[in-house]
Amino acid sequence: MLALAKYSIGVGDRFAHQAKAQLRACLLAAEKGVEVIPVWNKSNREHTIIGSEPGSVRASADAAVRELKWTKPYHVDADHIRLETVDRFLAASDFYTIDVADSIGHHAEPAAVAAFTSRHLDLVGKLAIPGIAEPFTTTRANVERVAAKYLKAVQDAGAIYRKIAAAKGEGNFVTEVSMDETDAPQTPPELLLILAALADEKVPVQTIAPKFTGRFNKGVDYVGNLKQFEKEFRDDLAVIAFAIGKFGLPGNLKLSVHSGSDKFSLYAPMRRAIRDTGAGLHLKTAGTTWLEEVIGLAEAGGEGLDLAKEIYAKALMKKEELCAPYASVIDIDATKLPTAEAVKSWTEEQFVGALRHEPSNPAFNPSLRQLVHVGFKIAALMGDRYLKMLKTCEPSISRNVTGNLYDRHLKPLFVDQ
């Protein structure tokens, strides 16, 4: 089986120009003795908005690997695919994030729920899981309730997995199952039953992305109770370790944290947990690299700064349209958004200070950052004009992309300080 390494980082590259800069961050970690495998991810929605094809992600990744002489594994992720969108990714991808969040709550057939419950009567009652202080107490009604809520989603994951396997061959790709884009978090007992159902469906899941408690907004820090998150994260790690032995799931199965970029306050708790338990981790980032492109444009000054200001001004004009697809993962205070006219007079330092994710900087503006985060469609509509400016400002952009990914993400999570 093509196996995902212990530590991996999902790196989004909206315009397929930053693969080398992203890979340099992994090389910096490797120089410190830590192997973090890059997984280039791009969703069908992003391809549709930008007008790109999955093959462009593969080509960009392959070129970066060749040029920088990366000798470790790497992957290309068909991010958040469904049965109706997977076909266009089959040739280019070797990692598939199967997104079944929309199927949660769509009830499975009563006979399937009853059969699942009967197969897993050993999970009814008190269940002690190593690493969790208090045993789970589960009734048959609890199992039936969880199965009714999640079994259809797992069955859909199985159907998507089998379609990929028919095209790629068993064992030739990495499977992730994503359930994070939903309203309610999955509790550790629910995760255990979800993993049991995935084993029943014979989905060799190597990484699973549950929804955690709290807000995982795009491009900004976590909002929620850190102690509650750490307990939930550790309990999920314990459930996964238990499920591997109990259900025969792949031994490298690990948690995936989606919208994981920029969640700076979570990195210390996650680092402690993976160090204490020896567990692996997949951290999925995306728009943080696009934001570093805009920061690099602004930092370059001149035409680069002018273009960055234009992107903001047009994003402000189309705010409702741009925010609609991401409404569940952004919190923008419109009263905190400066006018386009005000931004037009900003210096490089003012623009970068507002956009760069440095919460200690009084100039940092999380509402502006989130708006620019969802505003990549503005750059896409600029076409070659935007892409040419990426090349013109490449030194400042690549410096920011590498530094952000290594210093703010890989280093605090994986590298000994």
Side-chain angles (χ1 to χ4, degrees), residues 182-263:
T182 187
D183 293 333
Q186 292 95 39
T187 65
E190 287 175 332
L191 179 62
L192 180 65
L193 292 169
I194 289 166
L195 291 173
L198 285 167
D200 288 351
E201 279 287 317
K202 295 182 170 43
V203 176
V205 57
Q206 295 188 46
T207 171
I208 186 160
K211 180 177 176 60
F212 295 99
T213 300
R215 294 284 290 174
F216 283 74
N217 287 338
K218 298 287 187 182
V220 292
D221 205 351
Y222 173 77
V223 178
N225 185 313
L226 290 176
K227 287 185 177 179
Q228 182 181 0
F229 171 82
E230 183 165 10
K231 182 181 186 305
E232 195 174 295
F233 186 82
R234 285 177 176 268
D235 286 354
D236 282 352
L237 293 181
V239 163
I240 284 172
F242 180 81
I244 288 169
K246 177 75 173 172
F247 308 127
L249 291 165
N252 65 333
L253 173 60
K254 59 184 180 176
L255 278 176
S256 178
V257 179
H258 282 200
S259 294
S261 50
D262 300 283
K263 303 302 177 284

Side-chain angles (χ1 to χ4, degrees), residues 23-78:
L23 186 54
R24 285 191 192 102
C26 294
L27 283 164
L28 289 172
E31 289 173 6
K32 297 291 186 179
V34 180
E35 181 179 279
V36 184
I37 297 305
V39 180
W40 279 277
N41 50 259
K42 193 168 180 179
S43 69
N44 187 68
R45 176 169 60 188
E46 289 156 10
H47 280 298
T48 301
I49 289 172
I50 289 169
S52 56
E53 288 295 331
S56 65
V57 182
R58 168 62 66 183
S60 178
D62 288 349
V65 165
R66 283 194 305 270
E67 188 165 338
L68 297 184
K69 297 180 171 55
W70 176 260
T71 59
K72 302 176 188 298
Y74 66 100
H75 304 284
V76 174
D77 177 12

Side-chain angles (χ1 to χ4, degrees), residues 8 13 60 79-80 93 106 149 206-208 237 267 274 280 283 308 312-313 327 340 345 357 402:
S8 50
D13 187 9
S60 178
D79 193 15
H80 287 287
S93 300
H106 291 206
K149 183 175 182 180
Q206 295 188 46
T207 171
I208 186 160
L237 293 181
Y267 295 165
I274 62 177
L283 184 81
Y312 174 73
S345 66
H357 195 181
T402 300

